[in-house]
Amino acid sequence: MTAIERVRSGSPWEDVFGFSRAVAAGDRVVVGGTTSFKGSVLYGEGDPYEQAKVAFGTALEAIAEFGLGPEAVIRTRMLLTHARDVDAVGRAHQEVFGDVRPATTLMVVEGFVDPRILVEVELEAYRGASS
């Protein structure tokens, strides 16, 4: 049976909703929806590029707990509240993953739990054959 490992980021919502920032099972490490909130502070308010950079940074910190870096990322998802922000968020994605080129999905959604959130990201990473 494959061991399941979990990483928490300290988000206040982790306890309220009962989730982990990242979960590793076998070869896969998945990072759930990540915004630019760190604790109760929203970074990059009004700036989709900055929110994306912070969110990707937090997601990468989670996979780093498993000894992985950006090169291990095989899938990303970006959810935006405004189509006008596609270029800004795409630029942030390119800066982080331009050499990695993971499979990527970008969606425009109606909104998030806090209306100041413009971007939410998810990652999936591959950590090689599990023992």
Side-chain angles (χ1 to χ4, degrees):
M1 179 171 209
T2 300
I4 296 175
E5 305 165 78
R6 292 172 174 81
V7 167
R8 297 182 56 180
S9 67
S11 164
W13 292 314
E14 288 173 346
D15 286 333
V16 173
F17 296 140
F19 73 90
S20 298
R21 172 66 51 219
V23 176
D27 295 340
R28 294 179 61 203
V29 177
V30 293
V31 180
T34 304
T35 68
S36 64
F37 264 102
K38 290 191 176 273
S40 62
V41 177
L42 176 69
Y43 288 84
E45 186 169 347
D47 183 344
Y49 168 80
E50 186 62 25
Q51 285 194 19
K53 290 287 282 199
V54 171
F56 282 128
T58 299
L60 289 171
E61 288 170 8
I63 68 168
E65 293 289 322
F66 299 105
L68 303 173
E71 69 285 346
V73 175
I74 59 171
R75 170 181 282 289
T76 59
R77 288 184 188 89
M78 297 165 281
L79 295 85
L80 320 175
T81 55
H82 301 285
R84 68 174 184 243
D85 297 335
V86 166
D87 290 339
V89 173
R91 180 168 48 100
H93 187 275
Q94 195 282 332
E95 289 175 8
V96 176
F97 299 108
D99 292 335
V100 178
R101 298 190 179 268
T104 298
T105 301
L106 188 144
M107 296 174 274
V108 176
V109 298
E110 188 170 324
F112 298 110
V113 296
D114 184 312
R116 298 173 298 161
I117 298 171
L118 303 174
V119 180
E120 186 168 323
V121 303
E122 297 178 355
L123 304 180
E124 183 172 342
Y126 178 74
R127 61 179 181 172
S130 60
S131 9

